[in-house]
Amino acid sequence: MSGPSEPPWRIAPGPPPAASGSGGDPGTGVGSSDGPGAASGSGADPDTVVGPGGGPGLASGSGRRPASSAGEAPPSRRDLVLAVIRESLAPLSVTEVAERLDIHPNTVRFHLDALLAAGAVERGSGERAGPGRPPVVYAARPGMDPAGPRNYRLLAEILTGHLAATAPDPAKAATDAGRAWGAFLAPPPVPFQEVTEEQAVGGLVTLLDGLGFRPETRSGEPPHAGRPRSDSHVSAGQPRLAGGTTHIGLRHCPFLELVDTRAQIVCPLHLGLMQGAMAAMGAPLTATRLEPFAEPDLCLAHLGPVPGDHPARPGPGPGMDRPGTPQGHTGSQGRVET
């Protein structure tokens, strides 16, 4: 039977109704106008489709579909509920969905609440068939499933790989991008108020913590796991900043999975992010260089005064020490060590 082109229903504002019971088996509980009261279920997982004899099976309702090929897992109850809603030409009530799948209305209601919370369906009010409140009905929300799988790591691999293969200077391009985003993410300075070193370090630490770097401030010369301290890694004239902080340790890398193959992109991007943020805050200091894995579980950002009389501004990134370039090749504002 075909439904009307414009279903006579409207979206009801407000949060979804609370699921009946305390989160246990939705097949048991008090019924409502949508269906019977206590179910005769056995307490099984509501997502398990049970057939005759206790084995997996399919109900006779029109929404049930077997697995598409041998060895493929059968669809879950929630998938079946959503399939019935999507295939209907008009919004359906809980009772109607239950009848089509031959399952208890409480089980349907349990899954509809979850689908509503996930944004896969919409709840509305249908037409009154008589006295009393209009029935609650459900329809599929247009568009792709918002709860579908994501693969942002693949996206990151594609973009970093493309940048590494096509940019004339991949490290500089990554640094430029990091500085631009660091400037965008940093809190703007208060007009007509000079930013102190302590404020700048605090602002950078707060930003890095929010991005998942797990930063920690350090003073003095940093330790170096597995190698002696030397001028090749710690400048003899390491500046002593007013606040005492000379380094920021990064205990976590949000893009750790990419470091093994794309360190020439990820590490300069992180350095640029810090430089751009410090510049946007009008800080009197900047991240002069980044030392990846100065300790087995820590990368180390070195801080120093901004060269010249004015704070650095987001723009072309510094020179980078990276594979294929001589050690010690640096720009005016920093480097990534190898």
Side-chain angles (χ1 to χ4, degrees), residues 298-323:
L298 177 135
C299 297
L300 200 63
H302 296 248
L303 305 181
V306 175
D309 298 330
H310 302 285
R313 301 299 178 197
M320 300 291 166
D321 286 339
R322 59 187 184 278

Side-chain angles (χ1 to χ4, degrees), residues 178-277:
R179 295 182 72 192
W181 271 95
F184 173 75
L185 295 172
V190 178
F192 313 115
Q193 180 175 318
E194 183 177 352
V195 177
T196 67
E197 292 175 351
E198 293 92 333
Q199 290 171 333
V201 171
L204 181 60
V205 167
T206 299
L207 174 63
L208 293 173
D209 189 48
L211 295 175
F213 284 94
R214 291 176 54 196
E216 56 186 46
T217 58
R218 295 187 169 199
S219 301
E221 289 188 351
H224 292 271
R227 62 173 181 264
R229 297 175 180 176
S230 67
D231 287 345
S232 64
H233 293 285
V234 180
S235 301
Q238 176 70 42
R240 295 289 178 177
L241 305 176
T245 299
T246 56
H247 309 86
I248 294 179
L250 307 175
R251 285 289 180 188
H252 179 68
C253 176
F255 307 125
L256 186 62
E257 294 85 356
L258 299 176
V259 170
D260 288 341
T261 57
R262 301 298 177 197
Q264 77 275 27
I265 301 295
V266 173
C267 296
L269 186 145
H270 287 175
L271 177 61
L273 190 75
M274 292 184 285
Q275 292 176 336

Side-chain angles (χ1 to χ4, degrees), residues 37-202:
S40 58
S42 61
D45 181 354
D47 280 340
T48 301
V49 179
V50 180
L58 300 172
S60 59
S62 61
R64 283 295 171 90
R65 293 178 177 175
S68 59
S69 61
E72 183 179 342
S76 69
R77 280 257 171 87
R78 189 161 301 165
D79 291 335
L80 293 170
V81 169
L82 182 58
V84 167
I85 295 289
R86 283 178 170 168
E87 291 173 358
S88 176
L89 298 178
L92 299 176
S93 68
V94 170
T95 301
E96 290 171 326
V97 175
E99 289 174 349
R100 296 191 184 193
L101 293 177
D102 193 22
I103 58 178
H104 196 276
N106 283 350
T107 301
V108 173
R109 188 178 294 106
F110 172 81
H111 291 299
L112 283 173
D113 285 346
L115 292 169
L116 191 63
V121 300
E122 298 173 324
R123 189 183 64 195
S125 298
E127 286 187 325
R128 287 188 181 91
R133 293 180 298 178
V136 175
V137 293
Y138 296 84
R141 178 167 291 178
M144 292 187 178
D145 183 6
R150 304 288 190 270
N151 197 336
Y152 292 116
R153 179 176 176 180
L154 175 61
L155 176 63
E157 291 277 8
I158 292 171
L159 296 178
T160 55
H162 178 74
L163 184 64
T166 60
D169 189 337
K172 179 180 180 300
T175 307
D176 291 348
R179 295 182 72 192
W181 271 95
F184 173 75
L185 295 172
V190 178
F192 313 115
Q193 180 175 318
E194 183 177 352
V195 177
T196 67
E197 292 175 351
E198 293 92 333
Q199 290 171 333
V201 171

